[in-house]
Amino acid sequence: KTIFSRLTARGQNMSALSLNNSTLSSFPTSISVPRYNRQSLKAGIVHVGVGGFHRSHQAFYTDNYINHTGDLSWGICGIGLREADRAIKQSLEAQDYLYSLLVKHPNGKTDTQIIGCLTDFLLAPDDPEAVINKMAAEETQIVSLTITEGGYNYDPSTGEFDFSNPDIKHDLANPNKPKLIFGYLAAALDRRRKSGQKPFTVQSCDNVQHNGDVIRKMLVTYISSYDSELADWVANQVSFPNAMVDRITPATTDKDIALAEQLGVIDSWPVTCEPFHQWVIEDKFCQQRPAWEKVGAQIVNDVTPYETMKIRLLNASHTVMGILGSLRGYQTIEQTISDPLFATVVSNFMDNEVTPILDDVPGIDLSDYKRTLIARFANPNIKDSLARICSQSASKVSTFLVPTIVENLKIGGNGAIANLVIAAWCLYSDTHSSQQGQPLEVIDDMAETLQQAAHASRISPLAFLEQPSIFGSIIENESFCNEYKYYISQLYAGVAIEQIMEAVLSSYKAK
């Protein structure tokens, strides 16, 4: 939305203040504001992908760190790679790069914090050279990323870089005017190398397992296709710490804009989130970093058990609720988990399909963690839409759900709920509607391919599984396919998703 259309959602709080540098000192004490001199901030971090999650998570931690320590070296310069990022650039620019974070508690209370660590926002399509120069600047210590799972440009079935992407072909032919992150990182790192500077750390903040390892492999592979010397330098000198990130952050709505004003802040694009937040980071940086551990981050030697736990329990459970709940006609996560049948299915998925294949997680009691997840899902003030959860399901299913299926198939473990979710996603992708006939918004780069494969399932029940980029080789497992075909036959015969779910739960009880 444009800033104008967002501001039309304003409420009627005449005492609310517009958000800019000149009003910061005038907000009431009930609203937390930056306690540091924003004009003296240096942008030690350049961040690509300034969406809601970055603003509720990494920027939140960084703002708290600056407030706590007074260290002004860690301002964040935002980068938007797409024309679609222009709206957030305009919103932030008009507010001196300030925004409000609305933390919604289960009891109905909302805490308001104004985040001040953003210093600038560059839109890459307007000036690619400015973005490359900003990344290459000596004061830049970290280039961080929230570019979503799809932004890593790899084939999930092989884990290899996708050189067939038209934007990759463009970037290789136009190194000074790239479209994707790889071209920008490569150009900026090359300038650092040629000027004799140390490289910056590349820090992923995405829900991708071993996210640092993945961006390292993809970037080095990309550069190796045209400059082996630079590729070797990046592989040997640049750090790519893995990290696990977690905070439920729904998309901003007009109601959130009105709520911000009711609370005293006129903000064209506030961010809402839950109180819970977690950030586990491997301490592998080639430059300086903020001491985020002073404000709650966990710094560890190996993030693997934490990220596997989170992706397979939280993210996969989101996908379970998103797909099954959408077919039922529910609209939000909270609405879905409030249904005792869905709550039982999610609990069984976590207990019987995920937990048995998880390693021990240092310092974490898995039973407590799962109880906390259910409570977080049920927060009545976090209206996290199922449409958001189901967006880009192709990359989410391949990352969050398929690995659990594969591991259970190897050990003969339980997998009925995950199997049902895949079958339900097939019907979802085919009809784009709930079982009650409500239209479902499908936002997926593979939407057309998914719909074609799903529609073919009416004649060939396994057609949807014939997508190795998503499902790998699970179609070769006879027991999985037999169960899947049963679910497909039930769903396409119009059997209610609740009835099938109850049958799955009964089969668990019988074991």
Side-chain angles (χ1 to χ4, degrees):
K1 294 186 178 182
T2 64
I3 296 174
F4 176 77
S5 66
R6 284 183 174 277
L7 287 177
T8 60
R10 287 181 52 187
Q12 302 298 321
N13 184 356
M14 302 306 293
S15 64
L17 297 174
S18 296
L19 195 52
N20 55 62
N21 282 333
S22 66
T23 60
L24 277 181
S25 62
S26 301
F27 283 98
T29 56
S30 59
I31 296 175
S32 174
V33 300
R35 300 188 301 273
Y36 50 86
N37 182 356
R38 296 189 70 233
Q39 282 64 45
S40 298
L41 278 175
K42 295 182 179 179
I45 300 171
V46 172
H47 183 82
V48 181
V50 188
F53 182 75
H54 165 69
R55 289 186 286 152
S56 78
H57 193 266
Q58 185 194 17
F60 160 81
Y61 275 93
T62 303
D63 189 76
N64 285 353
Y65 167 78
I66 299 171
N67 269 325
H68 180 71
T69 65
D71 184 352
L72 299 176
S73 304
W74 299 106
I76 301 175
C77 174
I79 303 291
L81 295 184
R82 308 165 303 156
E83 177 59 35
D85 295 317
R86 189 176 298 280
I88 185 62
K89 170 183 168 63
Q90 291 174 337
S91 174
L92 290 169
E93 216 169 39
Q95 297 176 174
D96 294 330
Y97 306 102
L98 296 162
Y99 65 91
S100 55
L101 186 65
L102 310 180
V103 182
K104 296 184 176 181
H105 296 265
N107 63 4
K109 179 184 176 184
T110 299
D111 295 329
T112 307
Q113 178 176 350
I114 295 174
I115 304 293
C117 60
L118 291 176
T119 64
D120 199 358
F121 190 106
L122 304 179
L123 193 66
D126 286 351
D127 193 347
E129 184 69 14
V131 172
I132 295 170
N133 284 337
K134 188 64 179 178
M135 290 181 176
E138 187 173 1
E139 75 175 10
T140 300
Q141 308 284 303
I142 297 169
V143 174
S144 53
L145 318 170
T146 47
I147 55 177
T148 75
E149 298 86 0
Y152 290 77
N153 193 58
Y154 65 90
D155 183 337
S157 66
T158 64
E160 299 302 320
F161 192 76
D162 180 11
F163 280 103
S164 68
N165 186 331
D167 287 339
I168 293 295
K169 294 179 179 180
H170 169 275
D171 289 2
L172 289 171
N174 301 274
N176 294 318
K177 294 182 179 180
K179 294 183 177 181
L180 302 182
I181 185 61
F182 311 99
Y184 282 101
L185 291 175
L189 286 167
D190 194 30
R191 293 184 188 184
R192 297 278 282 244
R193 177 178 66 108
K194 288 177 177 177
S195 66
Q197 297 181 61
K198 291 176 64 178
F200 47 75
T201 296
V202 178
Q203 183 181 26
S204 172
C205 299
D206 280 301
N207 281 320
V208 175
Q209 281 192 282
H210 306 301
N211 49 24
D213 294 342
V214 173
I215 188 63
R216 179 185 187 275
K217 179 180 178 180
M218 297 306 114
L219 180 60
V220 170
T221 301
Y222 172 81
I223 298 172
S224 294
S225 69
Y226 67 89
D227 189 336
S228 59
E229 186 177 336
L230 175 60
D232 288 343
W233 185 81
V234 170
N236 293 318
Q237 300 296 324
V238 180
S239 294
F240 300 84
N242 293 310
M244 183 269 266
V245 296
D246 190 6
R247 191 172 212 180
I248 296 172
T249 307
T252 300
T253 66
D254 288 344
K255 290 182 179 179
D256 296 324
I257 297 170
L259 174 62
E261 181 169 356
Q262 179 184 335
L263 295 169
V265 185
I266 299 173
D267 184 347
S268 63
W269 208 321
V271 179
T272 66
C273 63
E274 63 173 337
F276 181 93
H277 54 85
Q278 188 175 22
W279 196 9
V280 185
I281 315 165
E282 289 179 349
D283 198 7
K284 299 174 182 177
F285 289 72
C286 55
Q287 285 273 24
Q288 299 297 309
R289 65 167 179 84
W292 285 302
E293 62 269 33
K294 292 184 177 181
V295 288
Q298 297 166 263
I299 308 298
V300 299
N301 292 323
D302 182 10
V303 78
T304 302
Y306 300 91
E307 66 181 3
T308 302
M309 172 191 72
K310 186 257 180 175
I311 284 174
R312 296 194 181 182
L313 287 173
L314 184 147
N315 295 111
S317 294
H318 262 159
T319 296
V320 169
M321 288 185 286
I323 292 171
L324 299 180
S326 293
L327 280 189
R328 168 59 181 79
Y330 290 139
Q331 302 295 314
T332 67
I333 287 290
E334 176 266 337
Q335 184 183 22
T336 305
I337 201 69
S338 295
D339 182 324
L341 174 61
F342 281 81
T344 303
V345 165
V346 171
S347 293
N348 271 268
F349 171 73
M350 292 195 290
D351 291 342
N352 297 319
E353 300 189 17
V354 180
T355 301
I357 59 174
L358 287 179
D359 294 329
D360 290 336
V361 185
I364 301 290
D365 182 310
L366 281 181
S367 296
D368 288 344
Y369 182 79
K370 287 182 286 186
R371 281 193 291 270
T372 298
L373 286 182
I374 295 296
R376 292 168 63 193
F377 296 153
N379 185 336
N381 293 305
I382 298 293
K383 305 297 184 184
D384 203 3
S385 74
L386 298 190
R388 184 191 80 84
I389 294 298
C390 292
S391 67
Q392 302 300 340
S393 281
S395 62
K396 291 177 179 178
V397 167
S398 64
T399 302
F400 304 153
L401 198 60
V402 170
T404 292
I405 294 173
V406 170
E407 289 198 30
N408 275 315
L409 290 175
K410 287 179 181 177
I411 65 172
N414 293 315
I417 294 171
N419 197 323
L420 173 59
V421 171
I422 301 299
W425 184 37
C426 175
L427 181 63
Y428 179 116
S429 300
D430 185 5
T431 65
H432 292 190
S433 67
S434 70
Q435 289 188 318
Q436 293 75 31
Q438 302 158 311
L440 296 174
E441 182 182 18
V442 177
I443 304 171
D444 202 301
D445 293 341
M446 293 184 64
E448 185 176 345
T449 300
L450 292 169
Q451 189 168 33
Q452 290 174 355
H455 193 69
S457 299
R458 296 171 181 267
I459 299 172
S460 176
L462 298 180
F464 194 63
L465 298 182
E466 295 173 352
Q467 301 181 85
S469 66
I470 300 173
F471 301 113
S473 60
I474 61 175
I475 196 172
E476 297 173 8
N477 187 282
E478 184 178 0
S479 64
F480 179 90
C481 289
N482 287 338
E483 187 173 39
Y484 175 83
K485 285 190 288 187
Y486 171 75
Y487 294 142
I488 287 290
S489 68
Q490 293 280 290
L491 288 165
Y492 275 85
V495 178
I497 190 65
E498 304 101 295
Q499 185 176 335
I500 304 173
M501 289 163 58
E502 287 172 348
V504 170
L505 293 176
S506 296
S507 72
Y508 271 134
K509 292 176 183 178
K511 290 182 180 179

